[in-house]
Each structure stands twice: as structure tokens, then as C-alpha cells.
Amino acid sequence: MGPISAFCCIAAGLWGGLIIGFVTEYFTSHSYAPVREVARSTETGAATNIIYGLALGYKSTIIPVCILAGIVFVSFSLMDMYGVALASLGMLGTLGTCLAIDVYGPICDNAGGIAQMAELPESVREKTDALDAAGNTTAAIGKGFAIGSAALVSLALTAAFVTRTSVLERGVNILNPVVFAFLLIGSMLPYWFSAMTMKSVGVAAMEMVKEVKRQFDTIPGLLEGTPGHGPPDHARCIKISTDASLREMVPPATLVMTAPIVTGMFFGVEAVVGLLAGGLVSGVQLAISASNTGGAWDNAKKFVEKGGLFIDMPKRDEVTGEVIRNVDGTPVLVSVRQRKGSECHKAAVIGDTVGDPLKDTSGPALNILMKLMAIISLVFADYFMSINNGQGYLNVPRQGV
């Protein structure tokens, strides 16, 4: 151990985060092939668009996970768990830049909304759409950094818990039934957590849609935009969003906080280690997949809206409307630009709607799950050890005890 080793650990985290950022940009920007492939899949409807988007998200986890594995291996080999902590600091060294690019996206999105509500010329909306598309990519890059650093921080906190409870003195046997059982349970928690957060978005969205419909039905001229119609009740819509966000966060937060406490109280510290390991391994991949899938769907929609997608369609006679055919009977195909209102755009909008809770809610929230479970376990470590010497109320035998 020495200054050179510490520098290598920090550099590994810094450069690893940079590579994760470039990979995220590749998979979420419509300047590259993956998102354009998702946009082209809208030719056959929303179902294929969703299939392609999910496949893109799953595929986008390969390189970031390999990078994180390499960072852990190098830093642990050089300076043990202290090296992993230094690597996480290296990845967090660009925190200021990540915050800046993450905030850029919502600003551009809101600018586009203001331009549309103010009925500014279409040229203005085209410019804000281009900025919004760039903002989607920068937001995804920021989330990639955050997920990677959360994984390393969670691993360092787990190591602190292991040291505090002296688990490594005898080692953690993955074939121990209790450890393996809670490894599986920990791997399940990110999916349970994501299901809660996604359903929360759905519940709030249903309330909002019903409220908007009610206002359209009860306020004459609002839907048609008749001059002089009554004002819409914006405050009611805002109240629905804020109330739902506060109300629906309680169950996921309760799950994250109680899972390690209940596990440690009843099954002991080795079960907690399995729970934390499973949550970390599963959560980091699910978070990357969710964030990149949502960003790709959003930018696929932007790509269609700006007219970047061309679909080959049968050419029709301008008078009769019949399909013009070649000598061999095959239809003559012409390349048609797809824009707002086209069937491709409608399919892309559906994909974007599905992706919003993934990239804006479930994906980023999994960072909290990974870190908070490890923090709570560390805080309650001494309490867990006080219960039958770390074996829990059920007195589960520890390895070598």
C-alpha cells in the first residue's frame, strides 16, 4: 500500500465512471444506432417498440457492470476495501459536473413546455426539442455515474458492516443455507421496490387523467379552446401530484428500512450480508437497465418528431389511390418521412410513456435502496451482535461458531 496504489484506485473509479458515461450516451442518444433502431421498430407498432427498448436496456448493462467489476477487482487487489472506498471517491470526483448535466435536462424540457403553452412558432419548439433530446442523454449520463458510484459506496458500507460484526474472521460461506436464502431475497428486493415505485406513478397518473377529464367535461369550451372559456383548475392537478408523491413513498421507504433490520434481528448478521450482497448485485443492473431504457424510448420519440425516421411505404396513385406496382407485381416503395401524428409517432409516444417511470422514478430510486440498506445495517450492527452473538432471535448458527 502506498500513494501510488491510492492514486491507481482513485483513477480507476474516475476513468471507469467516464467510460460508463460514454456507454450511456451511446445507448440513449439518437445520434447512434441503438436508439435509431428502437425508433425504426415503431414501424410495426408500440409492442415492437417496447420489446426493442427493453432489449436495449438489458444490453446496456453489459459494459458498465464489467467496468464496475474491474474497478472492484483492481482497487481491492491494491488496497483492500479501503481501495474500493477510494475508487468510489474517484467516481464521485466529477459530482459537480454530473449535477450540472443532470439539471440541464429538466430545464430544457420545461422550456419546451413553456414554448408550447405560449403557442410560440413551430421553429422555437423544434429548437427546444433538440435541446430536450440532448438533455435526456445528459440526464442518463448523470444517472449512470450515480448508479456506478452508489454500487461502490454500497460495497464499501457493506465491508464496514462485515468488519464491525467480525463476519470475515470465519468467512461467509455462500453455500450456507441462510446466506444463500437471503442472497436470493436480497436480489428480489430491487424488483419489489421497483414494482412499488412504478405502480405509484401509475396510481398518480390515473388520478391526474380522471381530473383532467372531469375539467374537460365540466368547464365549457376548455377542450375546444373556445375564446373566453373558464380557467382550468391548475391547483387541483398540482395537489394530486404532490399528495401522491408524498403518500406513495411510504411503502417503498418502509421496505428498504425494515428489510435489513428484520433480517438481522431474526436471522443474524450472516443473513444480513447475504441480503446486502443480493440487493447490490441485482439493484445496480436493474437501475442501469431502467434508466437507459427510459432514456432510449424518450429520444426515439424525439428522433421521430424531428423527422429523422423514414419508412418505405407503397406508392399510391394520386387520383385513384390504388397501389402502384412494378412489372413483377411487387408494390413500388417510396421513402416517407415520419413526423408528429404519424402511426410511428403514436407508437413512440407509448414507449416514452412507459419509459418515464423507469428512467425518472424506479431507476434513480434504486440508488437509495442500495445505499440505505447498507447504512442501516451498519448503524444497527452492534444491536444485531447483541442478539445471541449475532445469530438473531431464531438463533441461526454462524459459520464456525
Side-chain angles (χ1 to χ4, degrees), residues 20 57 60-61 64-65 68 144 147-148 283-293:
I20 290 174
S60 69
T61 64
V65 169
L68 289 174
I147 294 166
V284 66
Q285 299 180 67
L286 186 59
I288 294 173
S289 171
S291 296
N292 290 348
T293 294

Side-chain angles (χ1 to χ4, degrees), residues 96-128:
T97 304
C98 291
L99 290 175
I101 64 175
D102 210 8
V103 172
Y104 172 82
I107 293 174
C108 296
D109 199 356
N110 287 342
I114 293 171
Q116 187 169 6
M117 289 187 292
E119 298 181 357
L120 296 179
E122 187 64 27
S123 59
V124 176
R125 184 60 183 168
E126 289 178 0
K127 292 182 176 65
T128 58

Side-chain angles (χ1 to χ4, degrees), residues 369-384:
L369 178 139
M370 290 187 285
K371 290 186 286 190
L372 189 57
M373 283 206 309
I375 292 172
I376 290 176
S377 300
L378 180 59
V379 170
F380 283 85
D382 290 341
Y383 172 62
F384 297 154

Side-chain angles (χ1 to χ4, degrees), residues 255-276:
L255 172 66
V256 173
M257 291 187 289
T258 58
I261 295 176
V262 172
T263 301
M265 286 176 56
F266 291 97
F267 299 94
V269 293
E270 289 191 347
V272 175
V273 174
L275 186 81
L276 296 179

Side-chain angles (χ1 to χ4, degrees), residues 75-163:
S75 57
F76 189 88
S77 300
L78 292 175
M79 301 190 74
D80 208 80
M81 275 299 173
Y82 182 66
V84 176
L86 289 178
S88 65
L89 287 177
M91 192 171 291
L92 288 171
T94 57
L95 181 61
T97 304
C98 291
L99 290 175
I101 64 175
D102 210 8
V103 172
Y104 172 82
I107 293 174
C108 296
D109 199 356
N110 287 342
I114 293 171
Q116 187 169 6
M117 289 187 292
E119 298 181 357
L120 296 179
E122 187 64 27
S123 59
V124 176
R125 184 60 183 168
E126 289 178 0
K127 292 182 176 65
T128 58
D129 281 345
L131 294 174
D132 188 20
N136 290 331
T137 301
T138 58
I141 293 172
K143 290 167 188 170
F145 270 93
I147 294 166
S149 62
L152 295 179
V153 169
S154 178
L155 179 58
L157 291 170
T158 302
F161 172 80
V162 168
T163 303

